[in-house]
Amino acid sequence: MLSQHRGGRCHQRAACRLDPETGDSRWSARTAARWNRGYVRSGSVVGLLDEKVLRGLDIRTGRARWEVGSTLAGLRLLGTARGLFLCAARKGLYAFDTGTGEQVWFHEVIGASGDWGGTVVGHDVFVTVATTLFCCTLAERG
């Protein structure tokens, strides 16, 4: 179980992996931002997003495997599918490789403004921004 919370055994500005039976902290990873903007698991990697940085953490140890730079302001973590962390920001949709953090693709959305929402269902990504719904089907990566 991965948790973000204040007090107790996890501290502010941290993501913690808790033992589901005892509630004890297995590890804690500090972030630079005051608040984490989300996390999602893909296999043995946890994608952790703070204000401007997406990090890939090892699920067993909490150690950073990779980090994607500080130009991602406003990014929102939507989910994971086919080995990709899927994110949205003001300019469009992004996909990052879960193993390396490399940006795999970007899909520009022109004229969109407002808060992004989204979910991943199987290989389909449903994303809303303002009053527009997008659906993308992710092809096999080759």
Side-chain angles (χ1 to χ4, degrees):
M1 178 169 69
L2 190 71
S3 175
Q4 301 178 54
H5 62 83
R6 292 186 188 183
R9 296 184 180 125
C10 266
H11 302 285
Q12 189 174 359
R13 297 186 189 193
C16 305
R17 182 169 186 207
L18 304 176
D19 184 300
E21 294 179 15
T22 65
D24 291 336
S25 177
R26 291 188 179 168
W27 55 257
S28 170
R30 308 245 326 140
T31 65
R34 181 173 175 88
W35 301 107
N36 297 326
R37 297 187 59 133
Y39 61 89
V40 64
R41 179 181 177 177
S42 177
S44 63
V45 179
V46 174
L48 175 66
L49 180 65
D50 64 24
E51 290 175 359
K52 295 182 179 181
V53 177
L54 177 63
R55 291 177 177 81
L57 306 178
D58 185 284
I59 190 69
R60 294 185 188 270
T61 66
R63 290 193 182 115
R65 289 186 177 182
W66 50 262
E67 185 174 293
V68 177
S70 60
T71 60
L72 302 173
L75 201 65
R76 178 177 173 149
L77 190 56
L78 300 176
T80 182
R82 293 196 186 256
L84 299 171
F85 288 127
L86 304 167
C87 303
R90 185 174 49 155
K91 294 183 179 182
L93 304 174
Y94 295 82
F96 298 94
D97 185 280
T98 59
T100 65
E102 176 185 358
Q103 183 178 320
V104 176
W105 53 260
F106 168 74
H107 178 75
E108 184 176 19
V109 177
I110 298 172
S113 63
D115 291 332
W116 286 87
T119 189
V120 178
V121 180
H123 301 303
D124 295 324
V125 183
F126 296 92
V127 180
T128 59
V129 59
T131 60
T132 305
L133 173 67
F134 298 93
C135 177
C136 307
T137 298
L138 302 175
E140 289 286 339
R141 292 175 59 200

